[in-house]
């Protein structure tokens, strides 16, 4: 009879079918404002990243390894914005903040896998810039189409496999309490905080897997840029240094914004005083980082700007001719 009690209690705990995502519910008078702002951000993010994909696909001059990676980066950011923002925008409009358990775990799985894939893709892009600046004569030998596809496929497959382990372990937990997540999406820490059982071993496993997903590519990116900077500083002329740096400045900006917010969110102490600040920085890396990519590359990259101007000119000519014929 004594042993039966925990079993019955555990069964009651696992009867949970939904979580409640608090999001930004502490400001109810601003929900419509948030709806408009986040809808605008999502629209610009999707439009901007799809524009980059179209520019790269339609312009023969952009069919190079660097822009192959950039196109895939835009696709990843489009997908991982879509795992969070549509549900978040709907919640602002309808007030329904519940999410089924299976949807919560699915959201975490796809978001974590896509973010991990982006980490490796940024590392591959930094390796591409390393070869272009430090080994220019051997660039075409090392960085060919086959290697580009292999790097892209390996990064995605490995991250989706690794994150499936964490998601599976999370789905096996039993949950207690009010079932309220003080976050705007299903992230690892807010979810396991509601678990009834000891999660120490699982947290260690998740830390190990997340290190493979995020820290390893960060280290590779850091090594690549250390070698790039060392090579640039050895260039005697100021013009040469500026030209070399301009080829990787856009990517370096994206890397800095992405990893900067990632470190703040996941490495800072989790205390009640920093909880709201942590949520704000989560918005930066989940919502605002995907919009940085098209803005940075469209404003700072000469070849992308030329491709955009060419496409705009072609569209204007097409609409002008259509109007004249009509």
């Amino acid at each position: 009879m004594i042993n039966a009690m925990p079993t019955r209690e555990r069964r009651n705990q696992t009867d949970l079918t939904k979580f409640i995502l608090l999001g930004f519910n502490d400001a109810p008078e601003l929900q419509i404002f948030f709806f408009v702002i986040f809808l605008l951000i999502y629209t610009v993010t999707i439009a901007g990243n799809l524009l980059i994909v179209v520019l790269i696909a339609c312009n023969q001059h952009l069919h190079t390894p660097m822009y192959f990676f950039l196109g895939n980066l835009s696709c990843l950011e489009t997908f991982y914005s879509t795992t969070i923002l549509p549900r978040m925008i709907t919640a602002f409009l309808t007030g329904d903040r519940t999410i089924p358990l299976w949807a919560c775990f699915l959201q975490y799985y796809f978001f974590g896998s896509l973010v991990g894939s982006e980490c490796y893709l940024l590392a591959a892009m930094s390796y591409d810039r390393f070869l272009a600046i430090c080994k220019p004569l051997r660039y075409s030998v090392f960085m060919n189409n086959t290697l580009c596809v292999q790097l892209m496929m390996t990064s995605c497959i490995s991250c989706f496999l690794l994150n499936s382990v964490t998601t599976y372990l999370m789905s096996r937990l039993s949950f207690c309490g009010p079932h309220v997540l003080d976050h705007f999406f299903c992230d690892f820490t807010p979810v396991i905080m509601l678990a009834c059982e000891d999660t120490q071993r699982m947290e260690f496993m998740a830390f190990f897997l997340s290190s493979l997903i995020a820290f390893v590519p960060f280290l590779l990116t850091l090594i690549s840029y250390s070698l790039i900077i060392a090579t640039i500083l050895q260039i005697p002329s100021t013009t040469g240094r500026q030209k070399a740096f301009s080829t990787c400045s856009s990517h370096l900006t994206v890397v800095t914004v992405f990893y900067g917010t990632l470190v703040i969110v996941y490495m800072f102490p989790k205390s009640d005083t920093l909880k709201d600040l942590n949520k704000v920085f989560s918005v930066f890396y989940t919502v605002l980082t995907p919009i940085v990519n098209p803005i940075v590359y469209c404003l700072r990259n000469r070849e992308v700007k030329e491709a955009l101007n060419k496409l705009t000119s072609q569209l204007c000519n097409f609409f002008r001719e259509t109007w004249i014929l009509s």
Side-chain angles (χ1 to χ4, degrees):
M1 189 68 177
I2 295 173
N3 292 333
M5 289 299 292
T7 304
R8 193 179 301 116
E9 184 181 340
R10 184 181 181 86
R11 191 181 298 119
N12 290 336
Q13 291 164 352
T14 54
D15 282 343
L16 170 71
T17 58
K18 292 181 179 180
F19 281 131
I20 299 171
L21 292 170
L22 282 185
F24 299 96
N25 201 34
D26 51 346
E29 70 280 359
L30 296 176
Q31 298 305 294
I32 297 300
F33 172 75
F34 286 149
F35 167 76
V36 174
I37 292 298
F38 282 99
L39 179 61
L40 181 63
I41 290 172
Y42 182 58
T43 305
V44 173
T45 299
I46 299 299
N49 281 292
L50 289 180
L51 175 63
I52 286 183
V53 173
V54 170
L55 288 175
I56 292 170
C58 295
N59 197 306
Q60 195 68 31
H61 295 294
L62 300 182
H63 291 182
T64 62
M66 183 178 79
Y67 292 108
F68 169 80
F69 291 132
L70 177 58
N72 281 281
L73 179 66
S74 293
C75 289
L76 282 177
E77 294 192 328
T78 299
F79 292 145
Y80 92 65
S81 292
T82 304
T83 63
I84 291 178
L85 277 173
R87 199 225 146 269
M88 186 177 173
I89 292 167
T90 304
F92 285 135
L93 186 63
T94 64
D96 181 12
R97 302 184 181 280
T98 61
I99 182 169
L101 244 65
W102 64 267
C104 184
F105 297 139
L106 201 63
Q107 184 186 60
Y108 170 77
Y109 173 66
F110 279 106
F111 177 75
S113 303
L114 290 166
V115 169
S117 300
E118 179 163 346
C119 290
Y120 275 96
L121 187 56
L122 290 173
M125 293 175 77
S126 65
Y127 176 65
D128 172 78
R129 293 300 82 205
F130 161 73
L131 290 176
I133 294 172
C134 303
K135 309 284 183 182
L137 299 178
R138 306 178 72 180
Y139 176 80
S140 58
V141 177
F142 286 110
M143 192 56 70
N144 51 52
N145 292 337
T146 304
L147 179 62
C148 291
V149 174
Q150 287 174 343
L151 287 172
M152 183 63 210
M153 293 299 293
T154 303
S155 65
C156 289
I157 292 171
S158 59
C159 288
F160 272 83
L161 287 175
L162 288 170
N163 200 44
S164 66
V165 178
T166 308
T167 308
Y168 172 75
L169 293 173
M170 187 190 295
S171 68
R172 300 295 296 170
L173 292 172
S174 55
F175 297 96
C176 309
H179 317 312
V180 175
L181 293 176
D182 191 8
H183 215 331
F184 57 88
F185 74 103
C186 293
D187 204 1
F188 179 78
T189 302
V191 171
I192 65 165
M193 283 176 67
L194 300 182
C196 305
E197 56 204 82
D198 182 22
T199 59
Q200 228 172 13
R201 292 171 66 181
M202 182 192 164
E203 287 181 61
F204 176 77
M205 176 62 74
F207 175 78
F208 173 72
L209 293 173
S210 62
S211 297
L212 294 178
I213 290 174
F215 181 70
V216 170
F218 172 71
L219 194 61
L220 294 173
T221 304
L222 197 62
I223 292 170
S224 294
Y225 270 105
S226 298
L227 296 172
I228 288 170
I229 292 170
T231 302
I232 290 175
L233 292 176
Q234 291 175 4
I235 299 174
S237 66
T238 305
T239 306
R241 286 197 296 270
Q242 289 176 344
K243 186 177 179 181
F245 183 73
S246 66
T247 63
C248 61
S249 60
S250 298
H251 178 253
L252 186 58
T253 303
V254 171
V255 167
T256 303
V257 172
F258 179 75
Y259 277 112
T261 52
L262 211 61
V263 167
I264 291 172
V265 170
Y266 292 107
M267 299 303 290
F268 272 30
K270 303 294 185 293
S271 63
D272 290 337
T273 54
L274 294 175
K275 185 171 57 178
D276 291 334
L277 188 61
N278 186 275
K279 200 186 294 185
V280 170
F281 278 108
S282 293
V283 171
F284 274 93
Y285 98 89
T286 57
V287 177
L288 297 182
T289 299
I291 208 174
V292 168
N293 177 30
I295 291 174
V296 167
Y297 276 98
C298 286
L299 293 179
R300 300 189 55 140
N301 190 287
R302 180 178 57 82
E303 291 174 313
V304 173
K305 283 193 288 187
E306 288 176 359
L308 181 60
N309 291 334
K310 183 179 177 180
L311 181 63
T312 305
S313 176
Q314 289 174 342
L315 288 174
C316 288
N317 291 334
F318 172 76
F319 287 121
R320 189 184 299 114
E321 290 173 5
T322 305
W323 182 76
I324 292 172
L325 291 173
S326 61

